[in-house]
């Protein structure tokens, strides 16, 4: 049995209303299932799955009911919506879809959500400090926060993240404890200079399932870590990774007795082939999964300058998806990209927007986007996959 404070016991009995008690029960049940000794306070919550495309009508109605009864008690950031809700309306969506999406947005904002509409809350003012306990649901943000920031978060589902946003607590188990963060496999990478980190991440996700790797032989920057982690948590359900000489907790890992794997260019090339490296002309090139950082916007601008003399061809559409804060903080880069013909998209992304019919063939640089875009339950698109440089060089 979990140890609960007197206040929490009272709330469980209905002192803060039936909806609060119902949400708290989710956390208690989750904690008991995982032998958590107690509930601990969280620094912030990240809610995912807020596009109408993923939430659907039952989820929308549940949120509307909840918004009449409860409020968030900790900073709660939210994932991309189904279209550019606060933007210039670039993303194609029907009026019916927009109306349904607005119902979700209204409910979330009424409960106190912060209108980040981004899967990279760590690129906003709500980035957590190392050591913060979080209840984040976006898998790419969870793996980044654990591995790169040194914060602590399990990969929450929609109900438990919502329950944490309302109560401010999460059960203490898994990635919140030192033993839940230990390396469970060693990966020796035979790295090449043009290693595509998203491909490495996707390959490792498939290989590892949910095991935490200790990775040797790579020299990633933060954007590489973001790309690798997001793909690892999409192709597998890896919640954290350690990179020798790079990430916070790598030095503390005990590696003896762990299964060791070798990954070289051959394995990575083979994996890339499964993503559809070659194929038709794309109807859309989409960059920014997870949402592009300032560094990724600058890199895209540099590639367009070098490969295309600062202007893409008029017949191809190029999107870069990012968040409001990154747009506001990088006006010159955004102006350059816009003048070059790139559409800088805020508040949504190429996966959660309903764009399968408008853009049946999509070209992406992200193994996570490739994983979801081709799924029938998302957009069922034909996917082409390559690096940013290759995408611009070849099609833009
Ligand atoms: Fe973010 Fe959309 Fe990719 S939510 S991680 S850009 S699928």
């Amino acid at each position: 049995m979990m140890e609960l404070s007197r206040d929490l016991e009272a709330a469980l009995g209905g002192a803060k209303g039936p909806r609060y008690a119902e949400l708290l029960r989710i956390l208690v049940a989750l904690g008991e299932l995982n032998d958590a000794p107690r509930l601990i306070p969280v620094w912030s919550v990240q809610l995912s799955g807020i596009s109408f495309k993923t939430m659907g009508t039952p989820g929308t109605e549940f949120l509307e009911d909840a918004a009449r009864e409860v409020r968030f008690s900790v900073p709660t950031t939210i994932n991309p919506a189904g279209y550019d809700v606060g933007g210039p309306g670039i993303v194609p969506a029907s009026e019916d879809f927009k109306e349904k999406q607005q119902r979700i947005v209204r409910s979330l904002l009424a409960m106190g959500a912060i209108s980040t509409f981004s899967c990279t809350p760590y690129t906003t003012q709500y980035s957590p400090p190392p050591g913060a306990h979080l209840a984040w649901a976006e898998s790419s943000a969870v793996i980044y926060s654990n591995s790169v920031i040194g914060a602590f978060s399990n990969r929450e589902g929609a109900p438990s993240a919502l329950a944490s946003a309302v109560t401010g607590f999460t059960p203490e188990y898994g990635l919140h404890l030192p033993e839940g963060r230990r390396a469970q496999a060693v990966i020796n990478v035979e790295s090449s200079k043009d290693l595509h980190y998203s491909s490495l991440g996707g390959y490792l996700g498939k290989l590892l399932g949910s095991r935490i790797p200790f990775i040797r032989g790579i020299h990633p920057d933060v954007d590489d870590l973001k790309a690798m982690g997001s793909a690892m948590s999409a192709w597998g359900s890896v919640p954290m990774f350690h990179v020798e000489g790079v990430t916070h907790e790598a030095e503390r890992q005990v590696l003896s007795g762990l299964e060791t794997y070798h990954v070289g260019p051959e394995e990575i090339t083979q994996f890339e082939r499964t993503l559809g490296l070659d194929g038709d002309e794309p109807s859309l090139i989409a960059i920014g999964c997870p949402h592009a950082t300032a560094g990724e916007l600058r890199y895209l601008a540099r590639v367009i300058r070098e490969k295309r003399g600062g202007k893409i061809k008029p017949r191809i559409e190029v999107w870069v998806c990012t968040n409001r804060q990154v747009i506001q903080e990088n006006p010159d880069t955004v102006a350059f990209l816009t003048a070059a013909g790139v559409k800088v998209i805020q508040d949504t992304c190429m996966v959660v927007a309903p764009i399968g019919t408008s853009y049946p063939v999509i070209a992406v640089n992200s193994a996570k986007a490739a994983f979801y875009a081709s799924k029938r339950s998302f957009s069922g698109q034909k996917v082409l996959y390559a690096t940013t440089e290759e995408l611009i060089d070849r099609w833009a």
Side-chain angles (χ1 to χ4, degrees):
M1 282 292 276
M2 264 203 308
E3 187 189 304
L4 292 179
S5 69
R6 216 180 283 168
D7 273 1
L8 286 173
E9 285 288 4
L12 212 50
K16 293 188 175 179
R19 181 72 66 176
Y20 191 105
E22 178 191 314
L23 292 168
L24 187 53
R25 269 200 298 277
I26 292 174
L27 298 179
V28 171
L30 189 63
E32 287 181 346
L33 197 69
N34 290 285
D35 294 325
R38 57 189 180 139
L39 295 178
I40 51 170
V42 291
W43 189 89
S44 75
V45 171
Q46 166 80 6
L47 299 180
S48 67
I50 74 145
S51 167
F52 181 75
K53 188 172 164 183
T54 44
M55 189 174 281
T57 301
T60 306
E61 288 172 353
F62 177 84
L63 267 192
E64 286 176 329
D65 288 345
R68 282 189 273 274
E69 298 168 57
V70 285
R71 292 290 172 267
F72 297 155
S73 64
V74 287
T76 299
T77 50
I78 50 179
N79 246 29
Y83 74 99
D84 42 348
V85 286
I90 297 170
V91 175
S94 68
E95 287 311 310
D96 179 56
F97 182 92
K98 286 183 180 173
E99 202 273 314
K100 287 169 173 157
Q101 181 64 64
Q102 279 300 338
R103 285 171 54 193
I104 294 171
V105 170
R106 273 197 299 274
S107 300
L108 289 168
L109 297 185
M111 282 189 273
I114 302 160
S115 47
T116 45
F117 297 109
S118 179
C119 46
T120 56
Y122 47 84
T123 64
T124 73
Q125 61 189 300
Y126 303 99
S127 181
H133 289 272
L134 314 170
W136 284 12
E138 165 52 42
S139 66
S140 67
V142 169
I143 194 168
Y144 189 93
S145 70
N146 283 319
S147 316
V148 184
I149 297 173
F152 304 83
S153 183
N154 285 321
R155 188 169 154 153
E156 301 295 342
S160 64
L162 186 72
S164 291
V166 170
T167 63
F169 289 94
T170 194
E172 188 184 38
Y173 73 96
L175 277 292
H176 292 284
L177 300 169
E179 55 270 30
R181 304 170 68 84
R182 286 187 195 133
Q184 295 162 307
V186 177
I187 310 291
N188 291 324
V189 181
E190 185 194 330
S191 177
S192 63
K193 131 173 130 356
D194 53 359
L195 174 64
H196 190 178
Y197 278 91
S198 194
S199 305
L200 174 63
Y203 176 81
L204 290 180
K206 246 180 129 174
L207 177 77
L208 292 163
S210 61
R211 288 177 293 166
I212 297 175
F214 179 92
I215 308 170
R216 287 190 182 120
I218 56 172
H219 309 282
D221 64 21
V222 283
D223 291 335
D224 297 329
L225 293 170
K226 162 178 164 285
M228 180 175 77
S230 67
M232 221 185 282
S233 61
W235 284 86
S237 51
V238 180
M240 182 175 190
F241 57 80
H242 304 285
V243 179
E244 188 174 51
V246 177
T247 55
H248 286 272
E249 295 167 42
E251 270 180 32
R252 287 181 227 155
Q253 301 309 308
V254 179
L255 306 178
S256 57
L258 297 184
E259 198 156 358
T260 300
Y261 300 89
H262 167 90
V263 181
E266 213 169 278
E267 283 83 4
I268 293 179
T269 307
Q270 249 175 36
F271 172 73
E272 285 174 339
R273 281 203 196 106
T274 68
L275 301 183
L277 198 55
D278 286 310
D280 318 338
E281 283 277 293
S283 29
L284 173 69
I285 295 175
I287 288 161
C289 171
H291 272 177
T293 62
E296 288 171 318
L297 289 187
R298 283 194 295 272
Y299 177 67
L300 177 61
R302 179 151 60 85
V303 172
I304 291 175
R305 197 177 296 118
E306 285 170 9
K307 300 275 177 198
R308 288 286 162 266
K311 194 90 190 152
I312 59 168
K313 294 172 191 157
R315 65 179 169 77
I316 182 79
E317 198 150 329
V318 179
W319 287 10
V320 59
C321 303
T322 184
N323 66 49
R324 295 173 180 196
Q325 189 164 335
V326 169
I327 290 174
Q328 276 163 15
E329 289 174 354
N330 297 276
D332 293 346
T333 315
V334 170
F336 174 88
L337 289 169
T338 308
V342 174
K343 291 183 173 168
V344 180
I345 308 279
Q346 67 171 67
D347 298 345
T348 186
C349 82
M350 68 295 270
V351 170
V352 301
I355 59 168
T357 315
S358 307
Y359 305 104
V361 185
I362 188 169
V364 294
N365 64 346
S366 156
K368 172 168 182 174
F371 178 84
Y372 284 108
S374 62
K375 285 198 182 307
R376 274 227 202 101
S377 51
F378 278 82
S379 291
Q381 289 158 301
K382 178 156 189 198
V383 175
L384 308 174
Y385 173 80
T387 63
T388 303
E389 205 173 334
E390 287 161 346
L391 293 177
I392 299 300
D393 197 27
R394 191 154 170 203
W395 288 302

